[in-house]
Amino acid sequence: MQKILVARPIFPEVIDRLKQYFDVEWNNGDALPADELTRRLADKDGALTAGDPVGAATLAAAPRLRVVANMAVGYNNFDMAAFNAANVLGTNTPDVLNETTADFGWALMMATARRITESEHFLRAGKWEKWQHDAFLGADVYGSTLGIVGMGRIGQAIARRAKGFNMRVVYHNRSRVAHGIEAELNAEYRSKEALLREADHVVLVLPYTSENHHTIGAAELALMKPTATLTNVARGGIVDDAALAEALRSRRIAAAGLDVFEGEPNVHPGLLTVPNVVLTPHIASASEATRRAMANLAADNLIAALGEGPRAGHPANPINPDVLGKARS
Ligand code: 8YV
């Protein structure tokens, strides 16, 4: 039987499915440090990860390893150049989380615009003594301009929801999306700079790559309206968190909603001390149904890539399909 490592706690029924095909080693505890992950992968044929970094050294130390299935749509934790050089397949879990993540992007944007957590903290602290005409005044969402940076599947699902809120939608993406999609979403393409100047609510939904490290830093925040909000449901590192903390402190922008952070689970101390930010612990895809779907899809990819199950040899979500069928190097 082929050997696999499941590097993170996941739903036990998914472990049971994997056991039908493989000899399963399961880390049902904290994330493994890099050297421990490398040690545990040394004799494995496959692995299921969730954001765990996998690079050249780990692959070199695991000569049998043929596939690493990530339980996430983002795979910036994989060094894909190293995967390609070693002929190791990476897989991810797209699509199953689109609507859940779009819902959450909206929830975070609206909580940010309408100061939901800030006002709740006020209430819980026993400070609510009277109704005031100017208490917790926020920014309208309905009828405003939504700026989406990253018009992939999740960005499009966010744009679709904007119709019901009578919003203008502007977007920026590496390349313009097809004309038909722009028309269906009623979304207009903008340069990043134009979008930042124009949008009342900016939502980030782009993948993290080295090119878009700090796509939003001090210079970009300076372009935004002082009344605008910024929501990040993409990846830590896309925003310069230190620059954002300063922009929030000085009210350069009105507020931010953040589900992802540089160096998470650590959060920049400057973000923890300003009131005008809504903070959540990387839970945009965390609905009961979606996290189960992601875990099952990651398992399906692993099973298929290791030549088992109904899709043997044909995993649904290969990131680097060119290595399929090639011998490990
Ligand atoms: C994951 C995510 O839960 O899919 C992604 O890219 O950010 C989340 O849905 C998280 O990355 C853990 O793998």
Side-chain angles (χ1 to χ4, degrees):
M1 232 182 191
Q2 298 185 90
K3 290 185 179 177
I4 65 159
L5 173 71
V6 178
R8 292 287 185 116
I10 59 167
F11 303 97
E13 74 265 19
V14 179
I15 298 290
D16 290 343
R17 278 186 57 219
L18 289 166
K19 280 184 177 165
Q20 292 171 18
Y21 302 101
F22 308 118
D23 179 354
V24 179
E25 182 179 319
W26 183 20
N27 170 41
N28 193 14
D30 291 341
L32 299 170
D35 56 345
E36 177 68 5
L37 179 66
T38 301
R39 194 185 64 72
R40 296 228 204 165
L41 286 178
D43 63 343
K44 301 298 184 297
D45 301 281
L48 193 153
T49 56
D52 310 85
V54 182
T58 299
L59 299 182
R64 301 167 57 94
L65 192 71
R66 281 163 42 221
V67 54
V68 187
N70 210 31
M71 182 182 147
V73 64
Y75 52 86
N76 54 301
N77 55 309
F78 290 170
D79 176 345
M80 287 313 299
F83 274 61
N84 289 334
N87 288 338
V88 174
L89 183 74
T91 66
N92 66 342
T93 59
D95 294 323
V96 290
L97 45 54
N98 292 350
E99 302 303 334
T100 300
T101 305
D103 280 354
F104 192 87
W106 267 85
L108 198 51
M109 175 182 66
M110 294 190 78
T112 300
R114 297 301 306 275
R115 304 173 66 176
I116 302 256
T117 55
E118 192 185 348
S119 59
E120 185 186 349
H121 287 146
F122 170 87
L123 183 154
R124 284 180 187 269
K127 294 181 183 167
W128 187 26
E129 287 165 359
K130 57 180 185 299
W131 180 87
Q132 285 172 282
H133 71 284
D134 59 352
F136 296 104
L137 301 182
D140 277 322
V141 173
Y142 185 88
S144 67
T145 298
L146 175 63
I148 301 175
V149 183
M151 198 52 126
R153 292 164 285 211
I154 300 170
Q156 291 175 28
I158 288 177
R160 216 164 279 125
R161 286 158 174 72
K163 279 194 179 171
F165 285 76
N166 195 29
M167 293 174 94
R168 287 189 53 230
V169 179
V170 293
Y171 79 96
H172 180 71
N173 200 47
R174 264 169 311 180
S175 45
R176 277 182 81 146
V177 299
H179 203 71
I181 295 177
E182 278 189 0
E184 180 213 321
L185 300 174
N186 204 11
E188 295 169 29
Y189 183 81
R190 294 284 186 276
S191 69
K192 181 175 83 175
E193 290 71 22
L195 178 147
L196 292 170
R197 284 195 194 94
E198 199 173 333
D200 297 305
H201 302 290
V202 176
V203 180
L204 306 175
V205 234
L206 63 166
Y208 180 83
T209 63
S210 50
E211 290 87 67
N212 58 32
H213 181 71
H214 288 184
T215 284
I216 304 291
E220 289 75 20
L221 291 162
L223 297 175
M224 292 174 65
K225 298 179 185 179
T227 49
T229 72
L230 175 73
T231 295
N232 186 5
V233 286
R235 270 291 176 279
I238 290 174
V239 175
D240 177 345
D241 285 350
L244 177 60
E246 175 50 26
L248 292 167
R249 194 198 59 74
S250 63
R251 305 274 167 172
R252 180 60 208 77
I253 65 168
L258 305 173
D259 187 50
V260 288
F261 305 88
E262 289 186 287
E264 63 189 50
N266 299 318
V267 176
H268 190 284
L271 293 171
L272 295 172
T273 49
V274 287
N276 46 342
V277 60
V278 181
L279 306 167
T280 53
H282 201 147
I283 56 167
S285 67
S287 75
E288 176 80 36
T290 292
R291 281 284 168 85
R292 281 185 199 280
M294 290 167 69
N296 277 302
L297 186 53
D300 289 343
N301 282 322
L302 187 54
I303 292 165
L306 288 176
E308 302 285 351
R311 290 186 64 110
H314 303 281
N317 311 110
I319 298 164
N320 53 340
D322 289 353
V323 308
L324 275 169
K326 288 189 185 162
R328 231 342 269 275
S329 60

